Amino acid sequence: MLQLHAITRMATVVGLNVLALNATSRAELIDMKWNTEGKFDHTQSIAPGKFLEICENLAKGSAVTWQFKASAPLNVNVHFHQGKEVAFPEKQDSVSELQGVLVAQSKEDYCWMWTNKGSSLSLITLTLSRVSPRR
């Protein structure tokens, strides 16, 4: 009976370790929440082979400035889906920092995506800001 208890306990510890590893290395889709100033700031590690994606539904003509810095190069793109097609207003490979302005050409869910194709963890800090329309 003591041996069965030890095996059960060992299986529980191994299971918890697998869950913890999974939680720290999985790909992430982040829920974007604008602050009262119309900004979204986020910092996170991206494990090798994983990605970070942030999406927002934008009205036609809406503009968002964006920038990021990462501790290791990442592939980055801004994309949206039109039916089965994917359009890329921005796409760069192996960059550690980049900035841009997205102006929505149509009402769509636009996504900013960073993928770590490297062999080391990359810490990313990013900011997206709504741009007020000029009058």
Side-chain angles (χ1 to χ4, degrees), residues 7-25:
I7 291 171
T8 302
R9 185 176 172 155
M10 177 81 122
T12 301
V13 169
V14 169
L16 290 174
N17 285 338
V18 168
L19 284 175
L21 179 61
N22 233 3
T24 60
S25 64

Side-chain angles (χ1 to χ4, degrees), residues 44-113:
Q44 178 176 328
S45 294
I46 304 173
K50 303 300 177 183
F51 69 89
L52 168 64
E53 185 173 27
I54 299 169
C55 298
E56 176 72 352
N57 187 273
L58 299 175
K60 181 179 180 177
S62 297
V64 176
T65 61
W66 55 272
Q67 63 183 17
F68 81 93
K69 289 186 180 183
S71 62
L74 300 168
N75 292 359
V76 60
N77 72 69
V78 180
H79 67 272
F80 62 95
H81 300 264
Q82 289 185 319
K84 293 184 179 184
E85 299 297 316
V86 180
F88 295 91
E90 181 75 45
K91 189 173 184 181
Q92 298 283 328
D93 287 341
S94 195
V95 292
S96 296
E97 63 181 271
L98 194 62
Q99 60 187 10
V101 178
L102 170 70
V103 178
Q105 299 301 309
S106 58
K107 182 179 179 354
E108 304 289 347
D109 288 328
Y110 290 84
C111 298
W112 289 260
M113 186 172 183

Side-chain angles (χ1 to χ4, degrees), residues 46-50 72-74 115-122:
I46 304 173
K50 303 300 177 183
L74 300 168
T115 305
N116 187 349
K117 297 286 188 178
S119 59
S120 62
L121 195 70
S122 184

